[in-house]
Amino acid sequence: MKINHDELSEKKISTNEDLIDEPIIKKVKMEDEELCSEFLSTSQFKIIKKSLVERRNQLLSTPKFRFYNRAELARISQDICTRKPIFLEDIQNILLSAVLKSNFLLNPHKWCVLEKTNKITQTVIILLNGPTSYNFVANESLFIKTGKIFEHQYEVTLANDILLEELLIIPWIYSNKKKVVQKYGSLEAAFMFHKNLNALSKFFSIEDTCINEKEDQKKEIDNQEEHDAFPRTRLLLSPLQMIAENYPLPFENNELYKDYRLTKDKYKPVTPNSRMFGLDCEMVRSVKAYNELARVSIVDEDYNSVYETLVRPDCKIVNYLTRWSGITKEMMIDATKSLKEVQDDVCNLLPADAILVGQSLNCDLNAMKLMHPYVIDTSVIYNLSGNRNVKTKLQTLARHFLDIDIQNDEMGHSSVEDSITCLKLAKLKLSKDICFGDAVLQKKSKFYTAKKEEEPNVEVDANIIKTVLVTSQNPDLNFKEMFNKNYEHHNETSAEKAIETTCKVVKNNDYCVTYINVMDAFQGNDSNNDPDEKISKCVLSIDKYINEVWENMMKNGLLIVIFGGRQESNDNALTMMQIKK
C-alpha cells in the first residue's frame, strides 16, 4: 500500500490546530514559484513573498500574553458567582517581568506569562481612584474606545490605600538591582521581603511610622537580635501578602469582618527586637456545619506556654474532629470560656508590637475573629515544593528542617507543640538567610550567583529606569527620596491636564504611572446632580483619557489600566492589559 505523506502531514496539522498560536508561514519552494508564475508576474510574486516574510518577522517580534485557567476565572465576563479575582501581586509580577525584560521571576506561572519581554518598549499604567469592577460592568456600553483596545479585563482584589506605592516599587527594585541582589540574593526575594511597613498604618493605628529609610536601615542593624542573621521584620507579611493569604484586615464598612476585633486600639512600631509569640488553635464542628474555635495555645519566644484555654462554642458541637484537633467530648465538659473572653485575654496579653508566628495563621485569626498587623507565616517563608501555589505541611517542615516528628499522636494534634514548632522554624530561618528553606528563592539565588561567576567583570546592576509619575490634585505625594534621579513627578490641577501631560511625556520614559482621582463622581454625594448622569459623564471622560494615552504610546508598549475599587463598599478593583501592536 502506498503511503501518501502529504496527506498524513495535513492530518497531523489539522489535529493540532488548537495548539497553534500564530500562523505558520512555510518557506516558498521552487515548485511553488513555478506554480505562482502561471498566475502572477515575477515582481508581483516577490512583493507578496516580501510581505509574508515581514509579517512572519513581525509575529516573531511582538510581545504577547499567555493566560492560564486562573486568569479565565478572573475575567470580568465570568459569572459573578464563579468569578475568582486575581491579586495586585499578580499584576506586579507582570510589571516586573516587563521592566526586567524577563519572565524568569514568574516561575511557576500563577495566572499569566508575558512572552517576548525583551521586545517591550515601555510600561504605562493608568490608575483611577474611584471606579470599581462593578462600575465598569454597569457602564460597559459607554466604554466604546476602551472596549476596542482591551481584550483582557480582570477583577482584582487589592488594597487601594497602598496601591500607588506598590506600583512604584517596581522601578525602584529595577533601579537598585545590584544592591537588592546583594542584600536579598535575588530579585524575587527582594520583591517578597522588601517591606513597606509604613503601609500597615493605612489599616492599623500605629505610632510614629514615618521613618526615614536610611535611619530605618541603621536601626535595623543596631537593634537586631544578636542571634538573628537579618532583621525579623523582613519576614513579616506585607498588607498585600495578608490580603492574598486571606488574613483579616480592618477595611472600612467591610461586612465580612464586622464582628472582628483588633488586638490593640493602638500599636507600637515593630522593630527587630519585637518579641515573637507562637499561636495555634484547634477547631470542632458545630451544628452550623462549619468549624468553630475550641482551643487556643500561645507560646513565647523562649517556648514557655503563656496562654492555654479551651473555648466553648455558642452552638452545639456535632463533631469533635479528634483525629486532627485532639479535642474530645470529655475535655469540653468543663470548657466555659466564651469567644469574647478569649479575645479579651489575648488582647490584654500581647504587647503592642508583638509578632505572631504560626502555620497558615490566617485560619487561627479568623477562628478567633481577631486582626493583628505583625505576622510571620511559616507556610509562606518556607517552601519545599518549588511552587508558590503548593504549601508544605508543618509536619513535613518539622521533619525536614528540625529533624523532629510532630502530629503523630493518634489522639490528634497538640496546639502547643505546633506553636513551638513554628517558633523554632522562624528562629532557624533568622539564623540563616532569607533564601533558607525556600526552594523558589534558592533557585533564583543560584541563578544570580552563577551569572556573576560567569561574568565577574560585568555589573549585576542594570541601567536606571526612567520613571515618571503624573497625578491630579495630589500635592502631598513625594517619591523623590525613593528614586533620587531619573524620576519626574508632575502634579496637575485636573484630570484633563494630567492626561495632557502624560501624552507629552509618555514616549520619553520607560515606566509611566498616571494617577487620577475621580472618586467624587462615583460616590454620589452631590444631591444637586443626578448621580447616574454624573457617573456616565465621568465614564465617557475616562474612555477618552485611556484612548488618548494609548494613541501616544510607542509600539510594543504595555498599557495597564486599573480601576482602584472601594473597600468601604466592598467592591473589587478591575485591571485591563494590552500591548500596542
Side-chain angles (χ1 to χ4, degrees), residues 60-63 101 115-122 555-557:
L60 291 174
S61 63
T62 302
K101 310 298 183 189
E115 296 183 337
K116 299 182 178 68
T117 54
N118 61 318
K119 303 296 182 181
I120 295 286
T121 55
Q122 63 178 161
K555 288 183 180 178
N556 285 357

Side-chain angles (χ1 to χ4, degrees), residues 6 68 113 124 128 132 224 242 365 389 405 410 432 451 501 517 539 544:
D6 292 336
Y68 296 87
V113 61
V124 181
L128 295 150
T132 68
Q224 188 172 303
M242 294 177 81
L365 290 173
N389 298 326
D405 287 323
E410 292 181 0
K432 304 292 185 180
K451 186 175 180 181
T501 300
N517 190 349
V539 165
K544 177 186 171 187

Side-chain angles (χ1 to χ4, degrees), residues 223-355:
N223 298 335
Q224 188 172 303
E225 288 285 326
E226 291 182 6
H227 46 270
D228 291 350
F230 60 92
R232 55 188 57 183
T233 50
R234 291 189 200 163
L235 294 185
L236 295 176
L237 293 188
S238 69
L240 287 182
Q241 287 175 307
M242 294 177 81
I243 292 170
E245 297 292 336
N246 196 31
Y247 276 80
L249 286 174
F251 295 125
E252 289 185 18
N253 302 321
N254 192 321
E255 290 295 313
L256 185 63
Y257 302 134
K258 64 179 181 179
D259 297 328
Y260 284 52
R261 287 179 58 181
L262 294 167
T263 51
K264 297 289 179 184
D265 293 330
K266 199 171 190 66
Y267 296 89
K268 290 182 179 179
V270 66
T271 72
N273 277 333
S274 295
R275 309 308 291 164
M276 297 188 296
F277 293 83
L279 170 65
D280 190 65
C281 300
E282 302 297 348
M283 320 292 177
V284 292
R285 185 69 55 83
S286 74
V287 71
K288 289 183 179 179
Y290 58 76
N291 295 347
E292 293 200 48
L293 185 67
R295 182 182 180 184
V296 179
S297 299
I298 300 179
V299 177
D300 68 16
E301 199 167 324
D302 299 318
Y303 312 128
N304 300 312
S305 178
V306 294
Y307 187 74
E308 175 67 35
T309 186
L310 294 171
V311 189
R312 168 63 63 181
D314 293 333
C315 300
K316 181 181 178 181
I317 300 172
V318 295
N319 189 338
Y320 291 89
L321 305 174
T322 305
R323 179 182 171 187
W324 297 278
S325 68
I327 304 294
T328 64
K329 184 177 182 179
E330 292 72 24
M331 290 172 62
M332 295 301 291
I333 292 174
D334 297 326
T336 58
K337 284 234 174 189
S338 67
L339 175 61
K340 183 183 182 305
E341 289 175 316
V342 172
Q343 290 175 334
D344 291 339
D345 292 343
V346 172
C347 293
N348 291 329
L349 170 72
L350 293 176
D353 64 339
I355 299 174

Side-chain angles (χ1 to χ4, degrees), residues 452-480:
K452 192 172 181 179
E453 289 175 355
E454 288 173 9
E455 304 171 345
N457 297 322
V458 178
E459 293 288 347
V460 179
D461 208 359
N463 294 326
I464 302 297
I465 185 170
K466 291 178 68 177
T467 302
V468 60
L469 171 64
V470 184
T471 56
S472 66
Q473 299 176 328
N474 282 280
D476 296 332
L477 291 172
N478 184 12
F479 297 95
K480 193 74 178 176

Side-chain angles (χ1 to χ4, degrees), residues 61-331:
S61 63
T62 302
K64 64 176 183 178
F65 297 107
R66 178 151 47 91
F67 293 96
Y68 296 87
N69 288 338
R70 187 177 164 214
E72 292 304 313
L73 293 173
R75 278 191 184 273
I76 205 70
S77 56
Q78 186 83 9
D79 185 86
I80 193 168
C81 297
T82 56
R83 196 186 304 155
K84 294 184 178 179
I86 58 173
F87 299 105
L88 179 57
E89 283 182 321
D90 296 318
I91 301 174
Q92 283 180 314
N93 279 337
I94 292 296
L95 290 170
L96 198 52
S97 179
V99 168
L100 294 173
K101 310 298 183 189
S102 168
N103 59 21
F104 179 73
L105 184 70
L106 303 176
N107 184 24
H109 307 301
K110 287 186 175 182
W111 74 295
C112 166
V113 61
L114 183 57
E115 296 183 337
K116 299 182 178 68
T117 54
N118 61 318
K119 303 296 182 181
I120 295 286
T121 55
Q122 63 178 161
T123 303
V124 181
I125 304 163
I126 301 176
L127 172 57
L128 295 150
N129 183 33
T132 68
S133 57
Y134 169 79
N135 294 136
F136 178 81
V137 173
N139 298 276
E140 193 167 2
S141 61
L142 299 178
F143 286 102
I144 299 171
K145 295 174 182 177
T146 302
K148 290 179 180 179
I149 295 171
F150 294 98
E151 302 171 47
H152 315 296
Q153 301 155 349
Y154 301 96
E155 186 174 345
V156 190
T157 298
L158 48 78
N160 191 26
D161 289 338
I162 58 172
L163 185 51
L164 190 57
E165 292 94 325
E166 294 295 339
L167 292 173
L168 285 169
I169 200 174
I170 305 295
W172 180 89
I173 287 178
Y174 182 91
S175 300
N176 294 275
K177 190 175 177 182
K178 181 181 177 182
K179 182 172 67 175
V180 160
V181 170
Q182 288 176 343
K183 185 174 182 179
Y184 294 95
S186 73
L187 289 175
E188 184 177 76
F191 197 45
M192 186 173 181
F193 294 106
H194 180 82
K195 309 294 184 186
N196 179 10
L197 295 181
N198 289 340
L200 286 167
S201 64
K202 303 280 187 178
F203 303 95
F204 300 89
S205 178
I206 302 175
E207 300 173 0
D208 303 321
T209 55
C210 297
I211 303 171
N212 180 276
E213 185 180 356
K214 291 182 179 179
E215 291 180 6
D216 193 24
Q217 290 176 351
K218 187 175 185 302
K219 284 187 177 182
E220 273 193 345
I221 297 170
D222 294 343
N223 298 335
Q224 188 172 303
E225 288 285 326
E226 291 182 6
H227 46 270
D228 291 350
F230 60 92
R232 55 188 57 183
T233 50
R234 291 189 200 163
L235 294 185
L236 295 176
L237 293 188
S238 69
L240 287 182
Q241 287 175 307
M242 294 177 81
I243 292 170
E245 297 292 336
N246 196 31
Y247 276 80
L249 286 174
F251 295 125
E252 289 185 18
N253 302 321
N254 192 321
E255 290 295 313
L256 185 63
Y257 302 134
K258 64 179 181 179
D259 297 328
Y260 284 52
R261 287 179 58 181
L262 294 167
T263 51
K264 297 289 179 184
D265 293 330
K266 199 171 190 66
Y267 296 89
K268 290 182 179 179
V270 66
T271 72
N273 277 333
S274 295
R275 309 308 291 164
M276 297 188 296
F277 293 83
L279 170 65
D280 190 65
C281 300
E282 302 297 348
M283 320 292 177
V284 292
R285 185 69 55 83
S286 74
V287 71
K288 289 183 179 179
Y290 58 76
N291 295 347
E292 293 200 48
L293 185 67
R295 182 182 180 184
V296 179
S297 299
I298 300 179
V299 177
D300 68 16
E301 199 167 324
D302 299 318
Y303 312 128
N304 300 312
S305 178
V306 294
Y307 187 74
E308 175 67 35
T309 186
L310 294 171
V311 189
R312 168 63 63 181
D314 293 333
C315 300
K316 181 181 178 181
I317 300 172
V318 295
N319 189 338
Y320 291 89
L321 305 174
T322 305
R323 179 182 171 187
W324 297 278
S325 68
I327 304 294
T328 64
K329 184 177 182 179
E330 292 72 24
M331 290 172 62

Side-chain angles (χ1 to χ4, degrees), residues 5-15:
H5 293 282
D6 292 336
E7 185 177 333
L8 285 177
S9 298
E10 287 178 6
K11 288 182 179 179
K12 185 177 181 181
I13 291 173
S14 65
T15 56

Side-chain angles (χ1 to χ4, degrees), residues 53 274 380 414 439:
V53 171
S274 295
V380 174
S414 164

